[in-house]
Amino acid sequence: MLAEGFEDEDKWLAEGIAGIQHNAFFMHRALDENNLRDALKYSAQMLSELRTSRLSPHKYYDLYMRAFDELRRLEIFFKDETRHGVSIVDLYELVQHAGNILPRLYLLCTVGSVYMRCKDAPVRDVLKDLVEMCRAVQHPIRGLFLRSYLSQVSKDKLPDVGYEREDGESNGVMDAVEFVLQNFTEMNKLWVRLQQQQGPGRIREKREKERNELRDLVGKNLHVLSQIEGVDLEMYKDTVLPSVLEQVVNCKDELAQFYLMECIIQVFPDEYHLQTLETLLGACPQLQPTVDIKTVLSQLMDRLSNYASSSTEVLPEFLQVEAFTKLSTAIGRVIEAQVDMPLVGAISLHVSLLTFTLRVHPDRLDYVDEVLGSCVKKLSGKPRLDDNRATKQVVALLSAPLDKYNDIVTALTLSNYPRVMDHLDHETNKAMAMVIIQSVMKNNTYISTADKVEVLFELIKGLIKDSDETTEDEVDEEDFNEEQNSVARLIHMLHNDDPEEMFKIICTVKKHIMSGGPRRLPFAVPSLIFSSLRLIRQLQGQDGDIVGEEVPTTPKKIFQLLNETIEALASVSSPELALRLSLQCAEAANDCDLEPVAYEFFTQAFVLYEEEIADSKAQVTAIHLIIGTLQRMNVFGVENRDTLTHKATGYSAKLLKKPDQCRAVYACSHLFWVDDQDGIKDGERVLLCLKRALRIANAAQQMANVTRGSSGPVTLFVEILNKYIYYFEKGNPQITSSTIQGLIELITTEMQSDSASALPASDAFLTSTLRYIQFQKQKGGILGEKYGPIKVHIPA
Amino acid sequence: MVLVLALGDLHIPHRAPDLPAKFKSMLVPGKIQHIICTGNLCIKEIHDYLKTLCPDLHITRGEYDEETKYPETKTLTIGQFKLGLCHGHQVIPWGDLDSLAMLQRQLDVDILVTGHTHQFTAYKHEGGVVINPGSATGAYSSITYDVNPSFVLMDIDGLRVVVYVYELIDGEVKVDKIDFKKTTTSHSAH
């Protein structure tokens, strides 16, 4: 059925075009012969084709344009009185004799446009006459095109600045404005009427489509108004805008209202909008409730934002007209009025307002906060967002201040920021938290007060602890690790040079991460510990009397905090990490001369070793860390030192694998010899360790013999030999050149025995060791003398 | 000319948030042939980042590394030089050059690269050269106070290696260089 209709339309259009062409041909001939009568006759017939009501706007336009072109030729003819001999005034009279009204009016407008150009022509009267007479055509499509024609032919003859009326009365600009306004009003009425036709959905859709095709005809009037030079701000404010808005509101038509509001915003200069903001915004609540006002407002705000960015000189204007307040109020009213507006709409309005605010008043953080607050109000009372688009808008809302103020600290002062975040669903909340952290890291911002840290952690709380809604299986391990590592890195960005404030920061951080649960502690705790150790070191450097009323931050206080933190970590199955951190703290306590504190941390480390670390490989590393740390301790008195050393050597000897035992034991030898001025230098106990190591190495060899049929490589022996050499050089009286010689021979024999399994590496090791001895001998001096008696034979 | 980047003890995220920006902008992919890393990165993210700088990446295990499968020591040959790599917490006393020399003999290498102390050193002894590239992030150390971020770039050319050390001091990158040559005998570098 529809297809048939279309086919028909094409047919009718073709017929119309043929009609026009046919009559145009004769009209041209009449024009060539300067035959006015025939010209009028054929042009009227031609214009009759426009009387059709069978065409859609799109096709009617085609027909109209052809007629339009032909009328231009006619106009040229009219202009030249010598060709037709009739005065323009008479011509104006003459064309009104045309039979049908539509052709009559087209001809009249054509003559009128020529008339208006004449000197001393009564332009005002002509315009008024034409715009009134067009009222005779009330058919929407025909009327719109007729009036469009009127507008087209008159627009360059409108009186503007510099025009003088013959009777010297008020300026011509007002006449022009009134003319255009009236034409606009009438056109809008016609346009709206097109919608009135009720009918089933298909008809209505068709109507809407037609209306959309016609809308630019109506909008053109506004464009014409904007082009009139004489329409200055005052005239716009007093006359143009009120009249246009009156029509917009009164027509009560959704399509028209939306289109025309957009038109006004696009066509007139931003400066005018700024100065008439109240009027313009005042119209918004009066519009039909179904009008998509948020798009209109967004457009307005975007234009004003761009205007603000264009030059700094316009900014004071914004303040002067209180643009922000007006926009903010308007938005509030619209949201209130349009109860059915979906959430995404309301939020995107806020996003536009925020963008506006950030561009125009970036220094007014109170404005920014206000926008966020208004959004919070809108979101309050609702459950967490689950609408994707609304969520995206909220994220845009939250990201805008971060992008604008590269300094996260500014965003932290916005009291409503965390409240907005609370309304995001859990996943998005975490993603936003990551954005915030990345913003801090990227811009190298340091957060320097405990209060700000508190706010920051409030913002990222989705990462730091379990919310009520998370379930275990939701968490992707890689994502989780990335999040927690980000939090760990963030902790290093929290810093203040003032120790008091820094301690407050540390306490705040501790409070928050302690509630993180077993999965999170291993990530965040090390960062906290090292942050604290840095503070302790800073306090060390500030020796001397600290004068103050309150008890200042002392290393002792910090060590207490560290103790608690490590205990918490130890209780969630991270014994290896806890052990390492305890040793770090022990060393720091050593540097602060706090013997009991250092001892306490060592105790903690040993307990962890004894009770929690069962893996052999982990034990080897752990015991070496203990030995290495203990070796550096100088704060312990004899008793404490003995206890710890005894423990260390005991555990070393109890490691599972013999080679590991051997190595740990000879490492323990260093516990008895510290090269410092006041360091312990117990030669006997050193030797005891080395001898014990030798025994273990021997045992290892024998075991290898038994289990594998050949003895293992001599590497361990060579290592021990190197240790002997070490202490020999340091002057341990228990180690003589003959001790060394004996060991060398032992090794050589072992290597040459039948059951030896040679390993090139250990051969090379021995060789380079012997070469070292050789080198020392040759160097001479005191050492050279010491080495004198030792004979080495270096294999080729 | 072979460029070898030596770095370590970054301690990210435990002790430092990231490499210094000035270092990051200098370390561009495609310019370096090998990376040797003493350990304590500590997380996979950093491993991946280093891999983007150069696919030939060698790492030894530091005591805080997340990845437990890195080896305790590693040896490799680049040009005429044998290099050894070890984090250094295994060698007691920590930072003691004589004990490190023993490790060097044991691994039988010309150049031993170790870390742990976060203090840059380049030490030449009878058996070879011991290099500590320090901490690339300037991370806290119980052993060294006032650590400046540093790393080392070695230019290996025939029997000669030029060691460039880059240190970030008061916000500026300072470069120093040391020359080492080895004789043709396989064991000693002078």
Side-chain angles (χ1 to χ4, degrees):
Chain A
M1 227 308 252
L2 213 59
E4 268 183 43
F6 279 141
E7 272 172 31
D8 287 340
E9 259 200 69
D10 283 333
K11 196 177 76 172
W12 294 326
L13 176 61
E15 280 175 13
I17 291 174
I20 288 184
Q21 284 171 340
H22 177 81
N23 287 297
F25 172 74
F26 288 109
M27 185 187 82
H28 293 161
R29 214 169 53 179
L31 293 179
D32 289 340
E33 293 166 1
N34 288 340
N35 184 337
L36 178 63
R37 213 179 70 123
D38 278 355
L40 289 179
K41 169 173 156 205
Y42 286 113
S43 60
Q45 274 173 224
M46 178 186 76
L47 288 166
S48 290
E49 295 300 335
L50 291 178
R51 291 174 63 214
T52 178
S53 28
R54 295 191 284 189
L55 296 177
S56 66
H58 186 65
K59 301 238 185 301
Y60 190 93
Y61 176 75
D62 201 340
L63 204 59
Y64 164 85
M65 279 315 289
R66 287 167 196 273
F68 183 91
D69 289 339
E70 297 305 335
L71 287 173
R72 300 282 62 68
R73 317 251 307 233
L74 195 58
E75 187 180 341
I76 294 170
F77 179 67
F78 285 160
K79 248 191 264 199
D80 190 351
E81 195 179 324
T82 60
R83 284 174 68 179
H84 52 76
V86 180
S87 77
I88 198 70
V89 178
D90 290 337
L91 197 51
Y92 194 80
E93 183 68 26
L94 199 56
V95 297
Q96 294 188 41
H97 293 311
N100 293 306
I101 194 130
L102 193 67
R104 186 192 311 160
L105 289 173
Y106 269 101
L107 289 174
L108 199 57
C109 289
T110 313
V111 175
S113 108
V114 175
Y115 191 3
M116 286 192 284
R117 218 185 256 128
C118 295
K119 194 166 173 300
D120 294 332
V123 174
R124 178 170 177 256
D125 296 333
V126 175
L127 287 173
K128 222 166 149 40
D129 203 30
L130 291 173
V131 82
E132 296 266 319
M133 289 218 256
C134 284
R135 273 224 188 102
V137 180
Q138 285 298 315
H139 181 269
I141 294 179
R142 295 199 292 264
L144 277 170
F145 274 96
L146 174 62
R147 284 192 178 273
S148 180
Y149 181 74
L150 172 59
S151 170
Q152 186 77 353
V153 299
S154 63
K155 74 173 187 223
D156 51 347
K157 292 141 198 142
L158 292 177
D160 205 337
V161 176
Y163 174 80
E164 279 173 26
R165 272 186 45 165
E166 74 267 16
D167 52 7
E169 279 188 16
S170 58
N171 67 358
V173 177
M174 202 55 197
D175 298 336
V177 168
E178 279 178 8
F179 164 72
V180 179
L181 280 175
Q182 193 171 359
N183 203 24
F184 161 72
T185 306
E186 294 302 322
M187 284 178 82
N188 195 38
K189 285 185 189 160
L190 288 170
W191 188 39
V192 168
R193 185 175 311 140
L194 199 57
Q195 194 70 38
Q196 308 308 0
Q197 195 162 350
Q198 300 296 324
R202 223 167 1 108
I203 303 266
R204 216 157 28 100
E205 259 174 48
K206 187 160 173 273
R207 286 279 166 261
E208 255 184 46
K209 183 165 175 285
E210 288 176 358
R211 286 201 60 200
N212 270 320
E213 287 168 357
L214 289 166
R215 66 187 191 183
D216 286 337
L217 293 180
V218 181
K220 195 85 200 306
N221 290 293
L222 297 179
H223 191 257
V224 170
L225 278 171
S226 74
Q227 298 294 88
I228 301 177
E229 243 183 82
V231 174
D232 57 3
L233 176 59
E234 221 183 291
M235 175 156 299
Y236 177 76
K237 205 156 98 160
D238 296 335
T239 313
V240 175
L241 187 62
S243 304
V244 173
L245 283 179
E246 196 185 326
Q247 174 53 215
V248 171
V249 169
N250 288 343
C251 77
K252 294 196 188 338
D253 177 79
E254 180 198 328
L255 206 85
Q257 287 180 339
F258 180 70
Y259 172 70
L260 290 172
M261 288 300 283
E262 278 198 332
C263 226
I264 294 172
I265 292 169
Q266 280 167 25
V267 155
F268 292 103
D270 299 321
E271 198 197 317
Y272 287 14
H273 296 316
L274 200 55
Q275 295 296 334
T276 56
L277 208 48
E278 200 148 2
T279 319
L280 192 58
L281 294 174
C284 291
Q286 299 177 49
L287 301 177
Q288 299 301 101
T290 46
V291 173
D292 181 11
I293 196 63
K294 64 178 185 326
T295 307
V296 173
L297 286 175
S298 297
Q299 272 189 17
L300 177 61
M301 286 189 278
D302 288 341
R303 277 196 75 103
L304 291 175
S305 300
N306 286 331
Y307 181 48
S309 315
S310 65
S311 96
T312 45
E313 286 158 15
V314 305
L315 288 176
E317 236 187 285
F318 279 81
L319 286 168
Q320 187 228 347
V321 305
E322 292 174 20
F324 173 79
T325 317
K326 294 196 176 123
L327 286 168
S328 181
T329 319
I331 289 178
R333 281 208 208 108
V334 166
I335 293 181
E336 237 179 292
Q338 295 192 1
V339 189
D340 296 327
M341 189 193 289
L343 200 56
V344 58
I347 300 174
S348 62
L349 261 176
H350 283 98
V351 174
S352 291
L353 182 58
L354 186 64
T355 313
F356 170 83
T357 315
L358 289 172
R359 279 222 237 166
V360 178
H361 304 292
D363 51 325
R364 295 294 301 263
L365 292 172
D366 55 333
Y367 282 170
V368 179
D369 207 19
E370 208 185 297
V371 179
L372 293 174
S374 154
C375 201
V376 169
K377 250 202 297 200
K378 180 69 193 165
L379 291 168
S380 71
K382 296 192 176 45
R384 283 184 188 250
L385 290 172
D386 56 0
D387 170 15
N388 244 348
R389 292 178 311 152
T391 304
K392 276 210 184 96
Q393 286 297 320
V394 175
V395 170
L397 190 72
L398 292 171
S399 305
L402 291 182
D403 292 333
K404 175 75 187 178
Y405 310 113
N406 278 320
D407 176 12
I408 185 77
V409 179
T410 314
L412 291 178
T413 61
L414 302 166
S415 62
N416 287 307
Y417 198 95
R419 293 188 203 137
V420 177
M421 276 192 75
D422 280 341
H423 287 277
L424 289 169
D425 67 276
H426 189 61
E427 283 305 310
T428 316
N429 188 306
K430 284 202 291 180
M432 198 63 222
M434 288 294 279
V435 169
I436 292 173
I437 295 181
Q438 266 141 36
S439 172
V440 175
M441 308 296 303
K442 188 173 58 132
N443 295 308
N444 227 16
T445 335
Y446 281 87
I447 319 284
S448 57
T449 68
D451 292 330
K452 293 202 195 109
V453 172
E454 187 70 54
V455 178
L456 179 61
F457 274 61
E458 175 67 27
L459 289 179
I460 62 175
K461 66 178 183 240
L463 297 175
I464 300 183
K465 53 178 165 231
D466 293 329
S467 77
D468 313 313
E469 295 146 27
T470 39
T471 57
E472 273 309 305
D473 38 47
E474 274 178 24
V475 182
D476 172 76
E477 194 178 323
E478 242 186 72
D479 288 342
F480 181 78
N481 289 354
E482 196 188 330
E483 288 164 13
Q484 297 310 308
N485 280 324
S486 292
V487 175
R489 290 161 98 153
L490 179 67
I491 293 176
H492 296 290
M493 305 306 289
L494 316 173
H495 179 80
N496 194 315
D497 283 332
D498 170 40
E500 294 303 321
E501 191 62 39
M502 188 63 206
F503 187 59
K504 284 198 198 129
I505 291 176
I506 289 176
C507 291
T508 312
V509 175
K510 173 177 181 266
K511 181 182 73 173
H512 282 276
I513 66 177
M514 280 298 142
S515 54
R519 287 191 68 185
R520 292 191 176 82
L521 280 179
F523 289 92
V525 164
S527 292
L528 178 63
I529 304 282
F530 285 105
S531 224
S532 311
L533 289 175
R534 279 196 291 262
L535 178 58
I536 290 174
R537 192 170 275 173
Q538 184 187 342
L539 288 172
Q540 265 180 270
Q542 291 175 4
D543 273 335
D545 298 324
I546 306 164
V547 178
E549 284 165 4
E550 289 177 4
V551 179
T553 305
T554 60
K556 254 203 194 153
K557 272 204 217 163
I558 306 176
F559 280 121
Q560 276 167 10
L561 184 147
L562 291 175
N563 210 344
E564 285 167 28
T565 313
I566 297 179
E567 266 178 24
L569 183 63
S571 69
V572 300
S573 326
S574 302
E576 291 179 52
L577 187 56
L579 181 139
R580 283 153 176 71
L581 296 174
S582 298
L583 293 175
Q584 288 283 342
C585 293
E587 253 190 286
N590 176 78
D591 293 343
C592 289
D593 230 356
L594 296 166
E595 186 180 356
V597 178
Y599 192 81
E600 181 61 38
F601 280 116
F602 259 101
T603 311
Q604 206 173 41
F606 273 115
V607 167
L608 286 163
Y609 182 88
E610 285 163 32
E611 295 180 4
E612 312 279 351
I613 301 182
D615 176 76
S616 325
K617 197 159 165 250
Q619 280 183 342
V620 173
T621 309
I623 203 64
H624 276 278
L625 291 174
I626 291 175
I627 298 169
T629 311
L630 190 53
Q631 195 263 346
R632 295 170 55 79
M633 300 282 106
N634 51 31
V635 73
F636 290 128
V638 175
E639 267 186 43
N640 279 339
R641 195 179 173 89
D642 274 346
T643 313
L644 296 174
T645 313
H646 181 74
K647 274 260 173 208
T649 41
Y651 284 126
S652 300
K654 289 212 207 79
L655 289 169
L656 181 64
K657 300 186 198 152
K658 291 249 176 274
D660 291 334
Q661 279 179 18
C662 179
R663 292 186 173 111
V665 166
Y666 75 59
C668 284
S669 71
H670 290 280
L671 293 174
F672 304 105
W673 193 282
V674 176
D675 230 2
D676 287 345
Q677 206 183 28
D678 310 318
I680 173 179
K681 290 185 178 62
D682 190 338
E684 272 185 34
R685 294 177 79 177
V686 166
L687 189 59
L688 278 173
C689 276
L690 295 182
K691 281 193 174 160
R692 195 172 179 187
L694 268 178
R695 282 200 300 275
I696 300 174
N698 264 320
Q701 286 294 62
Q702 283 170 9
M703 259 176 55
N705 254 326
V706 168
T707 55
R708 271 172 261 157
S710 65
S711 47
V714 297
T715 317
L716 283 175
F717 290 109
V718 183
E719 288 175 41
I720 299 172
L721 170 62
N722 272 272
K723 285 296 162 190
Y724 269 83
I725 290 169
Y726 177 90
Y727 289 109
F728 180 63
E729 288 193 6
K730 297 283 181 208
N732 184 343
Q734 308 291 330
I735 299 178
T736 62
S737 52
S738 44
T739 324
I740 308 248
Q741 187 82 62
L743 189 50
I744 295 175
E745 269 150 35
L746 171 78
I747 298 172
T748 327
T749 317
E750 187 65 38
M751 279 175 68
Q752 287 165 349
S753 79
D754 293 330
S755 57
S757 54
L759 194 66
S762 31
D763 287 350
F765 190 12
L766 178 62
T767 309
S768 55
T769 310
L770 296 177
R771 195 171 277 126
Y772 172 74
I773 299 175
Q774 181 98 317
F775 178 76
Q776 293 292 68
K777 279 173 73 163
Q778 284 164 359
K779 228 165 74 169
I782 309 173
L783 273 182
E785 272 183 46
K786 281 184 98 164
Y787 277 105
I790 303 179
K791 294 183 185 26
V792 287
H793 168 68
I794 298 170
Chain B
M1 175 178 107
V2 179
L3 285 179
V4 183
L5 172 66
L7 81 173
D9 288 312
L10 290 88
H11 287 283
I12 297 170
H14 300 153
R15 306 187 200 186
D18 206 355
L19 274 168
K22 289 207 163 148
F23 280 1
K24 265 189 149 167
S25 57
M26 290 169 68
L27 296 172
V28 173
K31 300 273 176 62
I32 299 163
Q33 281 76 56
H34 309 274
I35 301 186
I36 55 182
C37 181
T38 55
N40 276 343
L41 296 178
C42 309
I43 49 181
K44 183 170 179 294
E45 235 180 274
I46 307 301
H47 179 115
D48 292 339
Y49 164 72
L50 290 177
K51 259 294 212 280
T52 66
L53 294 181
C54 164
D56 192 41
L57 173 62
H58 305 270
I59 311 185
T60 46
R61 192 175 77 89
E63 77 275 36
Y64 285 91
D65 274 314
E66 182 183 72
E67 173 64 76
T68 50
K69 296 205 190 73
Y70 296 142
E72 299 283 320
T73 63
K74 201 161 193 194
T75 53
L76 59 152
T77 307
I78 297 177
Q80 303 279 354
F81 284 87
K82 283 195 278 189
L83 289 96
L85 186 62
C86 176
H87 177 251
H89 65 269
Q90 306 92 331
V91 180
I92 292 164
W94 293 332
D96 179 69
L97 288 163
D98 292 318
S99 305
L100 289 171
M102 165 178 136
L103 177 63
Q104 184 155 12
R105 281 178 226 127
Q106 188 169 4
L107 295 176
D108 191 26
V109 292
D110 304 307
I111 304 174
L112 175 66
V113 180
T114 63
H116 189 58
T117 62
H118 299 203
Q119 172 72 39
F120 163 75
T121 51
Y123 172 67
K124 190 174 64 185
H125 62 99
E126 168 270 347
V129 177
V130 178
I131 296 177
N132 184 332
S135 160
T137 55
Y140 172 92
S141 161
S142 56
I143 301 169
T144 310
Y145 281 42
D146 296 324
V147 180
N148 285 319
S150 65
F151 67 87
V152 156
L153 202 58
M154 291 188 280
D155 184 354
I156 297 181
D157 194 1
L159 293 173
R160 183 167 169 251
V161 57
V162 183
V163 175
Y164 295 93
V165 56
Y166 295 79
E167 242 184 304
L168 187 66
I169 303 176
D170 290 330
E172 294 301 315
V173 178
K174 303 234 161 44
V175 190
D176 213 346
K177 77 174 185 157
I178 310 169
D179 256 87
F180 294 110
K181 265 201 277 287
K182 81 181 245 186
T183 61
T184 47
T185 61
S186 51
H187 286 290
S188 50
H190 294 289

